[in-house]
Amino acid sequence: MLRMRKTTGRLWAVATALGTVVMLTTGYFVPLYSASAAPVTNEGTKLIVPLGNANAEIDLTSLQIDFEKDNGERVRWAEPAILDGKVDGFVNTDDTALWDYSGIGLSASASQVEGRLHIILESDRDVSLEWPATGQDSHTTSIEFTRGSGQTIPVADPFWLAAGEDLFDEPAQLAGDLSMPFWGTTYDTQGLNVIVPTDIGTTLEFKKKDERIYAQAAHEFSADRQTSTYEVIFTPTTGGAVDAALDYRDYLHKTSGIVTLREKIEQNPNVESLIGAPHAYVWGDGRDPELVHKLNALGINRMWIGYDADGSPPSPYTVSLAQDSGFLVAPYDTWANAQDPEKSDTPAALWPSPLWPDGCVMNKDGTPVTGFGGRGCYLSSAALRQAQKDSNVLTERVKSFTENGVQSYFLDVDAVGQLFRDYNPLRPATEAEDRKIRLERMKALALGEFSQNSPLVTGSEAAADWANSAISYSHGSSTPVPGSFFSFQKNTAVWGGYYPLGRPGIFFKEADLPDDLATKMFAPEYRVPLYQTVLHDSVISTDRWELGLYKLPQLSGKRTLLSLLYNEPINLALDTRELEAHGEEIARIQKFFMEIQDVAGLEPLTSFEFLDDTKRVQQTVFGDGVLTLTANFGDSLSGGVDAGCISAALPGAKTITYCTP
């Protein structure tokens, strides 16, 4: 059971006034069917696993799974796999069944744990298995998955059936491409959540059959990658839009755990400065003291301010002025890239010898793994760990990046799940070991182990759930990014590049996304807050850094409503010119955001609903009902909320509203 922790400062005062500190909701999901005392039984090759007063039936010859409720309603959870091996070695121990497919070197087990069906497959060979496929049942209506904040894909939707490569051509790595290793399947009157704890080596792909979409998982059993075990967990749900995320949150609480923002504030009080704060990267004259004065004059007294590693950090005076005003200031850094110092295009890619080139991740053929954007190489986490032990390289680096007095730090890539198998014979490492090292160093950074015991409010890019204990904010985890976005972004004439130096077009040049791409990324009817449902009270999530709110002017209103509905900050690219153009609107957004964050910034997201058939009116609830937000993305009054507006129901029958321009 989690211990309840108090907050500090203004949030403790607000919580006390609202009476919420005596009963803080955990946001736990209660499995639809409680644990069953009934034994696992079999009828020939049909295995019956009781889940409360319902049953999961497994065809041992194919791993086809059907679920039957006590009222006789039946749906298909998993389509049959191709298993070229007869079933043998069957053993039933009442609560667990064990069997083998000896002809293909695969062993299996099935059990019921706390109302969930657990299937574990192990192989003594390097093979791949496509299983499970979900969503082919005729009662399926949609599939939910964790790209960005989360998306819901209606299985017969003409738009997504025509979406091409953004759903069908490239399998998504559960460890890397998705932020969390689960997906939901919604049927007419019920739902299913599928969790894959063994995410490394597992992919999820969307396919078409009979003009309907379904999800196909696959796992690579590999001794080399240490992925010889494949675990899949099935949970029945009521079919609510975020039920899969509520179930996964409960699973995390009971396994690896969730470290809350309250606990992080207790460790480092500066984390509280994130609450109610928009995020902004500053450029050019945006790093001068004048920007702080202008923000204060607008009434903006909370903000996270970041800056790129371009050799021109804000001065100690500017940092001190900003932090005295209630802001957090942070450098951008990355520990995943190394470049030749004679050719490097960023100070963040410079490392002392011998990290370049000896610290590069090595391919199986002995060549270095090429770095981001084709520059330099990806830096081995194991090599960097050894360099820290030998020469304090990370301590010296953090010291140089924080000598202007910043209290926050943005460490790119580490939490996103871009993991490597390093074949360097001097320091071989699997992807799991790479992830372990990254998590350890993010925790060390946050706790101040690289900065003279001065904790740093630490964030990373598109953070996966496994990183929640180490970071407090994540840039990019709110943005569903299909492959076609990166293709579009390469057109620098339209999108802009990393020039001019003081105002790079990639951040400031206004652009319009093609209609289909805008729909894939930002159409509210296809968005669901899965990420926030799992981690709202642990990690503050924003859009990508190159997608500042005003980068896409035609979408700024819709994106603002999405951020506020999910109770998460907007992300901005700022200099004095940008602030003059949009400062008053930013101040209006921040005022509304500050009020809802002071009430529920540390609470879990406990409910999300579509309130009308068009899915354009949506509602979120936080904590035990302490905050209810209702947004209208439509073009007429609905649900008591005007078009383009969001209404917040606060304690004491207080209601506030924000409307987009």
Side-chain angles (χ1 to χ4, degrees):
M1 184 174 181
L2 293 181
R3 290 177 294 166
M4 184 176 68
R5 295 181 181 271
K6 68 178 182 179
T7 65
T8 57
R10 60 174 182 268
L11 286 165
W12 173 249
V14 169
T16 303
L18 297 177
T20 59
V21 293
V22 297
M23 188 179 293
L24 292 171
T25 179
T26 63
Y28 284 0
F29 173 81
V30 179
L32 185 59
Y33 297 99
S34 59
S36 173
V40 175
T41 59
N42 70 289
E43 300 172 2
T45 59
K46 182 171 72 173
L47 185 68
I48 301 172
V49 181
L51 300 175
N53 56 352
N55 290 321
E57 297 181 3
I58 305 169
D59 183 339
L60 298 179
T61 65
S62 67
L63 290 177
Q64 174 182 302
I65 303 176
D66 293 299
F67 177 72
E68 185 170 6
K69 296 167 69 174
D70 56 354
N71 63 2
E73 183 180 327
R74 190 177 180 92
V75 293
R76 175 70 49 83
W77 273 5
E79 298 297 323
I82 298 175
L83 296 168
D84 296 327
K86 85 173 177 179
V87 178
D88 52 19
F90 183 84
V91 177
N92 188 348
T93 62
D94 284 346
D95 59 353
T96 301
L98 306 167
W99 67 98
D100 297 318
Y101 303 97
S102 58
I104 56 174
L106 194 67
S107 62
S109 71
S111 60
Q112 178 273 130
V113 181
E114 297 185 336
R116 299 179 176 97
L117 170 64
H118 287 237
I119 303 287
I120 298 177
L121 303 171
E122 295 182 288
S123 178
D124 59 8
R125 307 175 190 179
D126 289 353
V127 295
S128 294
L129 174 67
E130 287 194 341
W131 181 86
T134 73
Q136 289 190 33
D137 187 283
S138 61
H139 296 285
T140 307
T141 58
S142 63
I143 298 171
E144 290 71 43
F145 68 113
T146 56
R147 183 161 67 183
S149 60
Q151 294 195 277
T152 178
I153 308 298
V155 295
D157 189 285
F159 174 81
W160 286 106
L161 283 166
E165 76 280 359
D166 284 336
L167 269 182
F168 304 114
D169 288 353
E170 189 71 25
Q173 299 287 334
L174 261 62
D177 294 328
L178 300 184
S179 57
M180 300 179 192
F182 73 88
W183 69 95
T185 302
T186 302
Y187 306 99
D188 293 332
T189 59
Q190 58 178 293
L192 165 69
N193 185 35
V194 181
I195 301 171
V196 182
T198 52
D199 55 341
I200 295 173
T202 305
T203 59
L204 184 69
E205 184 177 10
F206 290 93
K207 295 185 175 183
K208 287 189 288 188
K209 183 178 181 180
D210 300 327
E211 290 305 300
R212 289 168 63 86
I213 297 166
Y214 69 96
Q216 175 70 68
H219 184 78
E220 178 187 332
F221 295 91
S222 168
D224 179 69
R225 298 176 70 188
Q226 294 184 6
T227 59
S228 296
T229 298
Y230 181 32
E231 181 176 8
V232 185
I233 302 172
F234 299 84
T235 311
T237 73
T238 63
V242 295
D243 271 8
L246 288 168
D247 175 51
Y248 186 65
R249 175 183 170 86
D250 179 62
Y251 173 80
L252 276 188
H253 268 295
K254 293 172 179 174
T255 53
S256 58
I258 293 175
V259 179
T260 67
L261 286 165
R262 282 189 173 89
E263 293 171 301
K264 293 168 186 175
I265 289 170
E266 202 170 75
Q267 290 180 334
N268 179 5
N270 289 328
V271 172
E272 189 178 357
S273 295
L274 290 171
I275 305 303
H279 289 228
Y281 281 91
V282 292
W283 304 85
D285 62 7
R287 300 178 189 180
D288 296 339
E290 186 60 27
L291 183 79
V292 178
H293 294 308
K294 289 180 180 292
L295 289 169
N296 289 337
L298 287 165
I300 299 173
N301 56 7
R302 304 181 198 177
M303 182 172 281
W304 179 93
I305 296 174
Y307 55 92
D308 195 16
D310 55 11
S312 301
S315 69
Y317 171 73
T318 302
V319 171
S320 176
L321 181 67
Q323 292 177 165
D324 287 347
S325 298
F327 304 158
L328 280 173
V329 184
Y332 166 98
D333 193 10
T334 177
W335 297 351
N337 185 248
Q339 296 181 31
D340 184 337
E342 295 184 4
K343 303 176 182 178
S344 175
D345 56 7
T346 170
L350 298 178
W351 296 91
S353 179
L355 279 173
W356 171 265
D358 295 349
C360 297
V361 175
M362 188 176 290
N363 289 309
K364 200 169 187 176
D365 64 3
T367 60
V369 176
T370 303
F372 177 77
R375 304 185 299 274
C377 72
Y378 279 106
L379 191 58
S380 161
S381 59
L384 199 51
R385 179 176 62 179
Q386 187 60 49
Q388 169 64 11
K389 291 178 180 178
D390 294 342
S391 61
N392 289 320
V393 65
L394 291 178
T395 301
E396 292 302 314
R397 185 176 180 91
V398 173
K399 179 181 177 181
S400 69
F401 271 71
T402 61
E403 60 186 1
N404 58 357
V406 296
Q407 296 172 334
S408 183
Y409 210 96
F410 180 79
L411 187 61
D412 201 11
V413 179
D414 257 32
V416 75
Q418 187 181 27
L419 308 172
F420 294 100
R421 170 69 171 95
D422 190 352
Y423 288 93
N424 189 312
L426 300 178
R427 50 154 201 277
T430 65
E431 292 146 286
E433 290 165 340
D434 184 17
R435 177 158 66 186
K436 182 175 181 289
I437 296 170
R438 290 168 187 265
L439 182 59
E440 288 172 349
R441 71 192 191 188
M442 284 188 288
K443 286 182 178 179
L445 180 64
L447 293 173
E449 293 179 19
F450 301 138
S451 50
Q452 299 178 322
N453 295 318
S454 297
L456 293 165
V457 181
T458 300
S460 190
E461 178 192 2
D465 63 277
W466 54 263
N468 82 82
S469 61
I471 63 168
S472 298
Y473 62 94
S474 170
H475 292 166
S477 48
S478 296
T479 316
V481 181
S484 58
F485 170 74
F486 294 110
S487 300
F488 178 76
Q489 199 179 44
K490 290 178 182 178
N491 185 346
T492 55
V494 174
W495 188 258
Y498 284 93
Y499 51 84
L501 184 61
R503 204 168 203 269
I506 190 173
F507 299 100
F508 289 98
K509 180 180 174 63
E510 293 184 352
D512 293 330
L513 294 180
D515 288 345
D516 66 331
L517 185 52
T519 298
K520 293 170 186 175
M521 295 176 68
F522 298 112
E525 62 268 33
Y526 299 130
R527 293 279 295 264
V528 281
L530 303 179
Y531 190 96
Q532 291 77 7
T533 299
V534 178
L535 291 179
H536 182 268
D537 59 343
S538 174
V539 176
I540 291 172
S541 174
T542 77
D543 275 325
R544 295 174 61 85
W545 78 323
E546 80 273 37
L547 283 176
L549 183 60
Y550 300 106
K551 172 71 179 180
L552 306 171
Q554 292 184 346
L555 294 168
S556 61
K558 186 180 297 183
R559 292 175 63 203
T560 300
L561 289 186
L562 281 167
S563 291
L564 294 177
L565 179 67
Y566 297 172
N567 202 356
E568 62 185 26
I570 58 172
N571 207 353
L572 303 160
L574 276 188
D575 59 7
T576 55
R577 176 174 155 189
E578 194 78 355
L579 193 61
E580 287 170 3
H582 302 290
E584 291 185 3
E585 183 58 30
I586 294 170
R588 279 206 316 122
I589 296 170
Q590 197 262 346
K591 181 180 178 181
F592 182 92
F593 182 60
M594 182 176 62
E595 290 202 55
I596 63 175
Q597 281 267 290
D598 279 350
V599 169
L602 304 182
E603 299 288 341
L605 193 161
T606 49
S607 174
F608 170 82
E609 291 184 84
F610 296 109
L611 298 185
D612 70 342
D613 291 340
T614 70
K615 296 187 176 181
R616 299 297 178 88
V617 183
Q618 303 179 10
Q619 187 174 86
T620 52
V621 179
F622 294 83
D624 56 359
V626 69
L627 172 68
T628 299
L629 297 167
T630 307
N632 183 352
F633 295 93
D635 30 16
S636 61
L637 175 70
S638 184
V641 181
D642 285 328
C645 297
I646 182 170
S647 174
L650 304 171
K654 180 181 179 181
T655 301
I656 59 173
T657 300
Y658 168 83
C659 295
T660 58

